[in-house]
Amino acid sequence: MDVGRVRDALSIGDSGDLAQFALDAANSTLEVDIEGITRTIELDPVESLRYPVEMPDIDIPATVHLSPDDISLGLDAADMLDDRFDLSVDPESGEMQFAADGDTDSMTYRREDTDLIAFEPADVEVKLDSSLVKSANAGLPDGTNRVLRIGNEVPLVLKSEFPDADGAMQFVIAPKLPN
């Protein structure tokens, strides 16, 4: 549901007005009543929200668990130089890295396996759009660790558990195609 639609419904009231909400799950609607004015908002069917989308069966061999600060630092550093970056895992050196090249400069942000929360290495590298990965990371719950599943030229899976609740949020981000 678009939060803007609920904000619009609430905008008819003034500070201090009492808003009453009534969810009609059978008809997938939400009624918002403020001072006798009722607005009915059509919702996505509840059934469609209860089942996660199934991932296609693709080989994503490397898994990296890192802190929100580590992923943010790597993404910010890469984004300073280019709108795309390489995300790679090297099992021999035991590290994951963000790398970007600008017109004259380059940047590499490395995290060794001892710096990571968990690490299942495989020899992988994928080029990604930094703004897409930054947006997905910003959409994940605050204060929770990030799980990156990385493969060669396949989507990146970026996932985080909800703190103090059952469930997780997951983004699947397609690799950046060459120009």
Side-chain angles (χ1 to χ4, degrees):
M1 171 176 60
D2 182 2
V3 174
R5 292 170 47 210
V6 175
R7 284 187 182 139
D8 289 345
L10 293 173
S11 69
I12 61 171
D14 294 318
S15 179
D17 286 350
L18 180 63
Q20 295 181 354
F21 295 88
L23 176 64
D24 181 352
N27 294 313
S28 296
T29 60
L30 174 68
E31 285 189 0
V32 180
D33 184 288
I34 301 174
E35 300 293 321
I37 300 173
T38 302
R39 179 164 174 177
T40 302
I41 301 170
E42 190 172 317
L43 305 173
D44 292 329
V46 174
E47 304 83 44
S48 70
L49 303 176
R50 294 184 185 244
Y51 303 103
V53 175
E54 289 189 30
M55 282 280 297
D57 189 23
I58 53 178
D59 186 30
I60 306 179
T63 303
V64 177
H65 297 242
L66 66 164
S67 73
D69 290 340
D70 277 340
I71 191 170
S72 292
L73 185 57
L75 291 171
D76 287 345
D79 197 38
M80 292 173 117
L81 293 179
D82 199 358
D83 63 346
R84 59 179 78 188
F85 69 97
D86 292 316
L87 179 61
S88 62
V89 174
D90 183 351
E92 290 187 28
S93 66
E95 70 179 20
M96 179 236 21
Q97 67 180 5
F98 295 82
D101 293 315
D103 292 334
T104 58
D105 300 333
S106 64
M107 176 287 309
T108 303
Y109 178 65
R110 293 179 174 86
R111 301 307 294 159
E112 294 181 1
D113 60 350
T114 56
D115 300 323
L116 301 168
I117 297 161
F119 189 53
E120 298 169 29
D123 190 19
V124 294
E125 181 175 356
V126 63
K127 185 174 287 300
L128 297 160
D129 182 305
S130 59
S131 64
L132 288 177
V133 180
K134 282 180 83 167
S135 292
N137 185 51
L140 294 174
D142 289 335
T144 59
N145 296 327
R146 303 321 195 214
V147 178
L148 286 79
R149 293 185 53 224
I150 310 159
N152 286 311
E153 304 303 323
V154 298
L156 167 72
V157 178
L158 179 57
K159 179 179 178 180
S160 183
E161 302 289 325
F162 289 111
D164 305 321
D166 289 334
M169 181 176 283
Q170 174 174 286
F171 291 91
V172 179
I173 304 165
K176 184 74 176 180
L177 299 174
N179 290 339

